[in-house]
Amino acid sequence: MTAWRGYMAVGVGSALGSSLRYLISLASWSPGFPWATLTVNILGSWLIAAFVAYASGRATGRVARWQPFLVAGFCGGLTTFSLFSLETLQLLDQDHPWLALGYVLVSVPLWLTAAWHGYRTGHRATMTRG
C-alpha cells in the first residue's frame, strides 16, 4: 500500500468511527452515567482485539491492507480506549501481568489528571477573556 493510500484509509476509517461515536452519543440513555462512552469503549476494545487476533492468524496481504483503515482509523476514531485495551491484553498474553496492572494503574489516574488539568486551564482561559 502506498503512503497516500494508507493516510486515506486512516482518514476515512477515522471519519466513520468518529461519526459512529457521535451517533451513539445521541442515543437517549438515562443521564448521570456516560453510557455512550462506555458503549463505544467496549465496542472499540472488542473490534480492535478481534481484528488483531484475526489478522495474526492470517498471513495474507489482504488482511494487512485493512489494518490502517480498521485499527488506526475506525477504532482510533471510535475510541482510543481500544488500543489501551489491546496493549494491556498483549502484556498479559506475554506473561507480564504486573506490567499490565501497572499500565492500568498508572494510565487511568494520569488520564483523569490530564483531563482535569485541561478542563481547569480551559475554564481559566475563558474566565480571563471575560
Side-chain angles (χ1 to χ4, degrees):
M1 176 182 298
T2 62
W4 71 270
R5 284 188 180 170
Y7 291 123
M8 288 292 292
V10 170
V12 170
S14 182
L16 292 173
S18 297
S19 295
L20 179 58
R21 181 184 188 105
Y22 178 69
L23 288 173
I24 291 172
S25 75
L26 295 177
S28 58
W29 290 316
S30 62
F33 187 82
W35 291 108
T37 301
L38 179 63
T39 300
V40 297
N41 285 339
I42 292 169
L43 177 62
S45 295
W46 184 89
L47 284 172
I48 197 170
F51 178 76
V52 169
Y54 177 77
S56 69
R58 315 262 309 171
T60 66
R62 289 183 65 205
V63 173
R65 283 189 299 222
W66 284 94
Q67 186 168 354
F69 173 80
L70 289 173
V71 174
F74 187 80
C75 289
L78 181 64
T79 173
T80 58
F81 192 78
S82 57
L83 183 57
F84 168 71
S85 300
L86 178 64
E87 291 168 340
T88 303
L89 186 62
Q90 287 174 334
L91 287 171
L92 289 170
D93 192 46
Q94 297 166 359
D95 292 325
H96 299 296
W98 293 109
L99 192 55
L101 179 63
Y103 185 43
V104 170
L105 292 177
V106 167
S107 296
V108 174
L110 286 175
W111 295 336
L112 291 172
T113 301
W116 174 83
H117 187 266
Y119 179 84
R120 299 284 298 166
T121 301
H123 184 67
R124 275 195 297 268
T126 303
M127 299 301 284
T128 58
R129 290 197 167 236

